[in-house]
């Protein structure tokens, strides 16, 4: 799964962009200011950042500068109402990768995001290989020793999530928030049931184990 961070202080636009990119097959997370973006980047790795410039507190320029000091490779796309050449020049001098002027066409935003990801060679990493297991995120298929293992979409997504962040503990609530509908009436026990299914189906895998973290949730441990 490709993780995209949207940094924009307009709640409506932020939500619209996140929903659109999620519908395109990405996992977009929205925050309303740079401070929240720093916290999000500390919590998990992201593959691409879409940022506004004019934000309260730390503006987009300062945010991009600090991100570049920590990560020289993550693609940064500015999405701003500032249409003047000096703003664009300053952005690129700070190390951003692309610049779009608001209002943006969402279809064009998607195209530019995909182009940036291709350049960063991130989409090529949508296939996970661990020992005798191969997970293909595009085809949503799982194979052990070349034999396909039947999995539901939710089973695949949970397993891919755990294996994408080995040793990171995910709570039952986190997994349910991400892979169940918001209006679901299922309890947290549903997560335990899916983990049991995954352990049974992938018991012959020699590259990982799904460990229970007592009182918290689950994590994948590589062997």
């Amino acid at each position: 799964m490709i993780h995209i961070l949207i940094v924009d202080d307009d709640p409506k636009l932020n939500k619209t962009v996140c929903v659109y990119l999620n519908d395109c097959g990405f996992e977009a997370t929205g925050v309303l200011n740079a401070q929240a973006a720093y916290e999000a980047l500390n919590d998990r790795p992201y593959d691409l950042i879409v940022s506004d410039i004019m934000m309260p507190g730390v503006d987009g320029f300062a945010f991009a500068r600090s991100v570049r000091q920590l990560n020289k490779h993550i693609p940064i796309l500015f999405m701003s109402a500032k249409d003047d050449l000096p703003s664009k020049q300053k952005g690129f001098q700070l190390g951003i990768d692309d610049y779009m002027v608001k209002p943006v066409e969402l279809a064009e935003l998607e195209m530019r995001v995909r182009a940036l990801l291709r350049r960063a060679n991130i989409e090529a990493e949508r296939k996970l290989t661990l020992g005798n297991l191969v997970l293909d995120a595009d085809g949503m298929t799982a194979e052990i020793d070349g034999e396909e293992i039947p999995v539901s979409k939710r089973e695949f997504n949970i397993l891919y999530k755990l294996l994408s962040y080995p040793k990171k503990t995910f709570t039952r609530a986190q997994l349910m928030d991400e892979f169940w509908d918001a209006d679901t009436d299922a309890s947290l026990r549903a997560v335990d049931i899916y983990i049991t299914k995954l352990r049974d189906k992938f018991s012959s895998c020699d590259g990982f184990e799904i460990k229970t973290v007592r009182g918290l949730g689950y994590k994948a441990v590589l062997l």
Side-chain angles (χ1 to χ4, degrees), residues 53 61 78-102 112:
I53 294 177
F61 294 127
F78 269 176
M79 184 176 65
S80 173
K82 294 176 74 66
D83 193 18
D84 58 291
L85 183 58
S87 293
K88 296 176 183 179
Q89 289 175 325
K90 184 174 181 179
F92 284 107
Q93 288 168 356
L94 289 170
I96 71 165
D97 300 275
D98 203 352
Y99 194 114
M100 294 186 71
V101 177
K102 296 177 180 177
R112 295 200 186 203

Side-chain angles (χ1 to χ4, degrees), residues 2 12-13 23 25 32 37 42-43 50 53 56 61 67 73 87 102 131 139 168 174 188 195 212 218:
I2 302 295
K12 184 176 180 181
L13 176 61
D23 288 343
L32 300 177
N42 284 330
D43 288 341
V50 177
I53 294 177
F61 294 127
V67 169
H73 304 293
S87 293
K102 296 177 180 177
K168 177 178 173 63
Q174 284 176 318
L188 294 179
I195 293 296
T212 300
Y218 299 96

Side-chain angles (χ1 to χ4, degrees), residues 161-192:
K161 182 78 168 187
L162 293 174
L163 294 180
S164 294
Y165 302 95
K167 296 185 179 180
K168 177 178 173 63
T169 298
F170 292 93
T171 66
R172 293 170 176 83
Q174 284 176 318
L175 294 172
M176 178 157 281
D177 286 345
E178 184 160 353
F179 300 120
W180 273 259
D181 294 333
D183 58 353
T184 181
D185 57 0
S187 70
L188 294 179
R189 173 63 179 159
V191 176
D192 300 330

